[in-house]
Amino acid sequence: MSYDQLCKKIGAAIFKIGSNVNSLQKQVSIIGTSGETPALRAQWEKKKAEIQTAVESTNEMMRQASELCRESSSPQEEKTRKIQIERLRQQFTDALKQYKKYQAIESEKEKAALSRMRSRTASLRSEISRQPIVDTQYAENEQLVDDDGRQQKLAELQEFQDELDTTTALINEREEAIRRLESDMVTVNDMFREIGAMVYEQGDLVDNIEANIEVAHQRVEEGTAEVVKASQYQNQYRKKIFILLGILTIAAIVIGLIIYFSTKSKK
């Protein structure tokens, strides 16, 4: 794959990350509410898997682009490629920041929902434990249990047990989702560190460019100062010439007058 093709692929992957993150952000408020359905959770998991794959592949492609940059045919081409990689790196960083922000919100909502579910299971277990043991045998007080009452109690007990089983299964599912989310968050944090290392590697170029700009700026300022000084010196020189010419002119006039009057007096 050529350098240009790789950069286009990186740009497309970054766009896909941003698009999926925006889609998830629009639905994050549904997590833990009655609007959350198994179908929606399946969609979210699919999008997050796509994002995670795109993040990891983009990070790898950025490394490949950096390697190809070092193989540039000329210093000018290398400089151009490094600037392009820096632009892609910034776009990738922005996309990761948005994803990381979403992950933090999702983690908070998932954990809040999990806490509510655990509270509910505790309440259900308490309700089940308070239900009397219903049997068709005579109780100790030798009163036969009413069949209709027995059926009602059994139905209530089964209802509590069914809800407990369902909630427990949902808790297990959400706990697994939180573990995946935390693993993905670790991966994203690792990406930030790798991007930081990439910035450090590109630092020499940035520093050199900034240094060259600064040197050029200083040279322009120094050149301007020299021009001003030269102009000042030239003006001062001209003033001195004019003053000297004036003095010589006055001296010539005085000498001429002296000679004139001296000659006249002799006559």
Side-chain angles (χ1 to χ4, degrees):
M1 186 183 299
S2 69
Y3 173 80
D4 291 336
Q5 289 174 332
L6 186 61
C7 287
K8 287 180 180 179
K9 196 170 181 180
I10 291 172
I14 292 172
F15 177 81
K16 185 175 183 180
I17 293 170
S19 177
N20 280 339
V21 170
N22 287 336
S23 177
L24 288 172
Q25 285 175 332
K26 292 176 181 178
Q27 297 180 322
V28 70
S29 60
I30 301 175
I31 294 176
T33 68
S34 58
E36 179 184 328
T37 64
L40 272 178
R41 287 196 68 85
Q43 290 179 14
W44 297 338
E45 291 301 321
K46 181 181 178 182
K47 287 185 183 296
K48 286 190 290 183
E50 290 176 354
I51 292 172
Q52 206 65 26
T53 300
V55 165
E56 293 175 7
S57 63
T58 302
N59 191 59
E60 178 60 30
M61 288 189 292
M62 290 293 291
R63 281 200 293 264
Q64 292 174 11
S66 295
E67 291 295 327
L68 290 174
C69 182
R70 297 187 184 96
E71 300 172 4
S72 301
S73 59
S74 67
Q76 182 59 39
E77 183 182 57
E78 182 179 7
K79 179 180 177 181
T80 301
R81 286 183 174 185
K82 283 185 176 180
I83 292 172
Q84 186 177 16
I85 290 172
E86 171 61 21
R87 184 169 61 251
L88 289 171
R89 182 203 63 78
Q90 187 58 55
Q91 292 173 357
F92 186 34
T93 300
D94 292 342
L96 284 179
K97 285 180 179 178
Q98 284 298 107
Y99 185 38
K100 190 174 182 180
K101 182 179 178 181
Y102 164 78
Q103 285 178 322
I105 297 172
E106 182 191 1
S107 177
E108 181 181 348
K109 287 189 171 293
E110 289 281 10
K111 289 177 180 178
L114 182 61
S115 178
R116 291 193 296 270
M117 285 181 171
R118 285 172 174 166
S119 296
R120 180 55 182 164
T121 56
S123 299
L124 289 170
R125 288 191 177 95
S126 177
E127 286 290 339
I128 291 171
S129 67
R130 286 200 298 267
Q131 294 298 316
I133 300 174
V134 181
D135 200 351
T136 57
Q137 301 297 323
Y138 285 98
E140 291 183 359
N141 59 4
E142 296 184 353
Q143 290 181 349
L144 184 64
V145 178
D146 179 74
D147 189 60
D148 291 338
R150 173 180 176 276
Q151 292 299 326
Q152 183 180 354
K153 293 294 182 182
L154 285 174
E156 291 176 356
L157 185 61
Q158 188 61 50
E159 184 180 342
F160 287 139
Q161 188 62 53
D162 289 344
E163 184 179 353
L164 178 60
D165 292 342
T166 301
T167 306
T168 301
L170 291 174
I171 286 175
N172 293 335
E173 179 183 332
R174 201 171 292 273
E175 286 176 339
E176 178 60 29
I178 290 173
R179 283 193 290 270
R180 285 196 302 270
L181 174 60
E182 290 175 344
S183 176
D184 290 347
M185 292 173 77
V186 170
T187 300
V188 171
N189 287 332
D190 289 341
M191 298 298 169
F192 272 108
R193 282 194 290 271
E194 291 188 26
I195 291 173
M198 187 184 300
V199 172
Y200 179 79
E201 290 174 1
Q202 302 290 332
D204 290 341
L205 171 69
V206 177
D207 291 342
N208 288 337
I209 292 174
E210 291 178 348
N212 290 336
I213 293 173
E214 182 63 25
V215 168
H217 181 67
Q218 289 177 354
R219 286 178 179 173
V220 170
E221 289 184 342
E222 290 172 359
T224 303
E226 290 297 325
V227 170
V228 172
K229 286 182 180 179
S231 178
Q232 291 175 346
Y233 289 149
Q234 190 174 21
N235 291 335
Q236 290 175 358
Y237 177 76
R238 286 175 180 173
K239 285 181 181 179
K240 288 178 180 179
I241 293 296
F242 289 146
I243 292 171
L244 180 59
L245 288 174
I247 292 173
L248 290 174
T249 301
I250 293 171
I253 294 172
V254 170
I255 292 172
L257 289 173
I258 291 173
I259 293 172
Y260 173 77
F261 286 112
S262 192
T263 305
K264 189 176 180 181
S265 61
K266 288 180 181 181
K267 291 179 178 180

